[in-house]
Amino acid sequence: MAAIEIDQLTKRYGDLAAVSDLTLSIDSGEVFGYLGPNGAGKTTTIRILLGLQSPTTGTASVLGHDMTVESQRLDALERVGYLPSNPRFDEQSTGREVLDLHESIKGGERRDELLDLFTPPVEREIREYSTGNVQKLGLVQAFMHDPDVVVMDEPTSGLDPLLQERFNEFVRDERERGTTMLFSSHVLSEVRRVCDRVGVLREGELVTVEDVHDLLDRSGKHIRLRVAGDPPEDAFDLDGASEVSRWRDGGETAFSFTFTGDVNDLVAEFGAYDLRELDVEEAPLEDVFLTFYGESDA
């Protein structure tokens, strides 16, 4: 069953289409990464999903509830957590007072567990918080009522590397519990670690929706190898090899290229040579992203 359904969604501001004819389905228990640069339409999509904006045309539903209908939206939001980009809280309140308010509205059965995990300084006033501490408090409030769906906009912004990894582990654990998560992010390495699928948005239009690993496989692997001697010019001239560079290094020959074929075929080719070094790397997700945007747009 789909937890989130978007059908032919369009949001226009005059002549500008922030989102255009967007159709997307996210399964229950799925972690879905929503990618695109600023202005691509990610935040507009999220705001419509939460009922904060109305679409020009099309529909958006969460947990079977039409988010454009107030009574259905309120039923859905009881089971939804939300972490906006750059969360804001009353700066005169302490973190504890902020969480007390949220708990009075939506519940907080997981509050203590999440405080132990993310450790925001709840006894201090928000005005004394660093950006990272505000983000940690935001994560606690987003998950404290044990929602079925959580929508996050740049969830690790301001977190140090240790907390980012802790968040990634938490997301994987939540997926095992069946929580559906949609988050937009510019941290592509994070998306690669935790997402099941990704959608790439460009100028308000969905360019692709793919399994993360399929997307990486399609982009190929980076191969660097070194063999003894001077192989013939057609060495490693295999289907799927591109951007081949070759140079001599003393008594050895080095190669560098991108390979989208079967790595087993490449390994079989090595048998004819005295292999001295081999390095196989998955293409960074950043490189994949650039196939949709180009250097100037990323």
Side-chain angles (χ1 to χ4, degrees):
M1 174 185 174
I4 295 173
E5 288 275 7
I6 300 172
D7 185 34
Q8 296 182 316
L9 185 71
T10 296
K11 179 63 178 180
R12 302 192 67 89
Y13 300 95
D15 294 332
L16 173 66
V19 177
S20 181
D21 198 27
L22 176 64
T23 296
L24 178 64
S25 179
I26 300 174
D27 294 334
S28 294
E30 182 175 18
V31 182
F32 191 89
Y34 205 35
L35 306 181
N38 291 334
K42 304 188 305 299
T43 298
T44 297
T45 306
I46 287 173
R47 291 180 64 83
I48 292 173
L49 271 178
L50 295 169
L52 300 174
Q53 288 182 326
S54 298
T56 304
T57 59
T59 60
S61 65
V62 177
L63 299 169
H65 300 283
D66 185 341
M67 299 304 284
T68 65
V69 178
E70 184 176 4
S71 59
Q72 294 192 43
R73 179 169 67 247
L74 293 176
D75 287 340
L77 289 177
E78 291 180 356
R79 301 162 59 192
V80 173
Y82 175 47
L83 177 68
S85 62
N86 302 314
R88 294 287 185 267
F89 303 107
D90 179 6
E91 293 196 346
Q92 306 304 314
S93 299
T94 65
R96 185 175 302 281
E97 290 169 338
V98 168
L99 295 181
D100 286 345
L101 174 61
H102 280 267
E103 184 170 351
S104 70
I105 297 170
K106 61 189 181 184
E109 53 263 48
R110 300 186 65 190
R111 173 173 167 170
D112 290 342
E113 167 199 348
L114 292 163
L115 285 174
D116 287 342
L117 182 65
F118 294 115
T119 65
V122 293
E123 303 303 333
R124 290 162 52 188
E125 293 183 347
I126 302 301
R127 62 185 175 183
E128 300 176 3
Y129 275 29
S130 66
T131 300
N133 281 331
V134 171
Q135 198 74 6
K136 290 190 285 185
L137 189 69
L139 285 168
V140 173
Q141 69 78 27
F143 286 90
M144 63 188 287
H145 58 299
D146 199 18
D148 297 313
V149 172
V150 181
V151 178
M152 296 174 280
D153 200 348
E154 301 291 343
T156 62
S157 176
L159 298 183
D160 63 44
L162 179 62
L163 262 296
Q164 288 180 23
E165 184 54 37
R166 189 176 301 173
F167 169 79
N168 292 340
E169 292 176 4
F170 173 72
V171 167
R172 288 188 284 265
D173 289 342
E174 286 301 294
R175 176 173 51 198
E176 293 301 312
R177 298 179 75 247
T179 307
T180 304
M181 286 166 280
L182 165 67
F183 67 84
S184 70
S185 179
H186 287 97
V187 185
L188 302 184
S189 58
E190 169 185 277
V191 170
R192 175 180 176 178
R193 289 188 185 102
V194 301
C195 288
D196 301 302
R197 291 188 301 155
V198 295
V200 179
L201 203 64
R202 176 170 183 161
E203 296 178 350
E205 296 185 356
L206 197 61
V207 179
T208 188
V209 175
E210 295 191 46
D211 179 272
V212 170
H213 298 294
D214 289 345
L215 195 61
L216 289 169
D217 286 345
R218 184 157 62 84
S219 70
K221 300 186 183 326
H222 293 170
I223 308 294
R224 291 187 294 273
L225 61 90
R226 188 183 301 270
V227 297
D230 187 12
E233 288 298 323
D234 61 355
F236 309 110
D237 186 14
L238 300 172
D239 289 340
S242 62
E243 302 175 0
V244 179
S245 297
R246 168 187 176 132
W247 64 94
R248 292 284 292 164
D249 186 3
E252 300 176 343
T253 304
F255 294 83
S256 174
F257 53 94
T258 299
F259 188 64
T260 58
D262 188 335
V263 174
N264 290 325
D265 293 339
L266 192 60
V267 172
E269 188 78 5
F270 297 156
Y273 304 98
D274 182 4
L275 180 66
R276 300 295 177 85
E277 182 181 346
L278 171 64
D279 187 20
V280 180
E281 287 185 358
E282 234 171 23
L285 198 54
E286 285 82 354
D287 287 0
V288 181
F289 196 61
L290 288 176
T291 66
F292 298 104
Y293 281 92
E295 296 284 352
S296 62
D297 296 328

